[in-house]
Amino acid sequence: MTHYDVIIIGSGAGGGTLAYHLAPSGKKILIVERGDYVRREKDNWSSRAVNVDAKYHTREQWQDRDGRPLHPHTNYYVGGNTKFYGAALFRLRRQDFGEIAHHGGRSPAWPISYDDLEPYYTKAEHLYQVHGEHGADPTEPWASAPYRYPAVQHEPRIQQLSDDLSRRGLRPFHVPLGIMLDEANPAKSRCIRCDTCDGFPCLVQAKSDAQVVCVDPALAHPNVSLMTNAKVTRLLTSASGREVIGVEVERGVDKTTEVIGGDIVVSSCGAINSAALLLRSRSDRHPNGLANASGVVGRHYMGHVNSVLLAISKKPNATVFQKTLAVNDFYFGDEAFPYPMGHISFVGKFDGVTLSAGAPAIVPGMTLDLMAKHSLDFWLTSEDLPDPDNRVTLDREGNIVLSYTPNNDAGHRRLIKTLEGLLQHLDMHPHLVPRNLFVGNRIPLAGVAHQNGTVRFGHDPATSALDASCKAHDVDNLYVVDGSFFPSSGAVNPALTIMANALRVGDHLLERLGARQAAAEDVVA
């Protein structure tokens, strides 16, 4: 059996970042990825291939709680879902780390504080080349260093909207974006500021995704290797059940099985697949699933309450790269609604082909193409609360069952109405139009891009699966480093928090491996 110092299962925001951080240590590291590299081809930038045909989505089928087929909007590639994300890299708010009262209940406190994670937020922002401006977002927590790259500037229609919102007393700001853009020197800029960024793989590799920023540089170290097209099916434990001694891997189309060993094993498969892997790894010592003496593994699934809404402007919107503006004035509510509402920003600019996938209600006198040319395409996120009955389980064949009942939606409904009220005072048609690819106005259960919360961390082994270092309470050499560890979800994209936490856990692992001093390269160098 081949043996490694560290085996990392998954190569996305958690696993890829962790591999990069550990690579200079000289320790023997294996990254196991169930997919392959995204093929570079013209379809990378095709709206029809990406949004209509879902060419890059997994063909894997899950089930919902009622046994109905569920086709997840997720991707298995080197770099994980960061290959397709919109690269909006937000810090959670300082308050998000404490207990917060919502209209629909309370979100719990984390076992670490914002101050504990802040140095790693800064390192992650620098590593992922985030462009932004600290201090402009009215709810943003303190930062120990500025962004290294200036905020991505608005195009004229978005700048006009920003000015209009400012005149109404709001404080719109530039979205922090992980893209390799040099607006001062566009001839040499790696990013070309195209309209196929959010939801698309970057054909010119100018998006700060985990493959480009972390995995490929990590592989430049001779002690790091990558195994692709390799699905981890089980984790095998010692007779005592206290350590993982084998990682069972299924490889290739013929599904050849082999077992590899590691001193430390890290699951970074995403919140749904990490929970499923632990549940599949049950044994006599772990009858309810590995690291699940608490019974919380798979429970408390969260994915945010998300909506995509189109505001049809009377003026054309010629914007190419739209995802530059955000509003957080209502993140924690307002005087009329003293509970958190959430976050307002944009998705990438829709075209008529993309709209055809959802067939939204037609504005009278407008074709889909004309609607797309006049639309402002908003993304709204509100926090959903951890509910033990919202969970990942397995059917008799070991396939994923995702059970979820939406909650805490009063704040989200209020956020939609607030946005609609703001826009009616501008030059918009009277109503926001939901893109009907979604259920009502909402992203459906299959939209798992913001998945988190299924293997929560905490101080009490009775109520959490991981300790504050993201090590399993029940297993001495098992860590989980993806969105699973979240006790609550906040209301911004979880990617930067996953990346920052991977760097934090990476420091812990370097000390455990006795390699802290050996890691001469630092992500802020």
Side-chain angles (χ1 to χ4, degrees), residues 5-20:
D5 294 309
V6 182
I7 298 173
I8 301 171
I9 307 164
S11 60
T17 306
L18 179 62
Y20 176 88

Side-chain angles (χ1 to χ4, degrees), residues 365-381:
M366 281 191 167
T367 64
L368 289 177
D369 282 333
L370 189 58
M371 280 181 64
K373 289 176 181 176
H374 284 257
S375 68
L376 291 161
D377 314 303
F378 287 93
W379 174 270
L380 280 68
T381 297

Side-chain angles (χ1 to χ4, degrees), residues 30 67 84 107 162 178 187 217 231 233 253 272 368 377 418 434-435 447 484 492 521:
L30 175 66
F84 297 84
S107 61
S162 179
K231 179 182 178 181
T233 53
V253 292
I272 293 169
L368 289 177
D377 314 303
T418 300
R435 182 172 170 238
S484 306
V492 291
E521 182 178 320

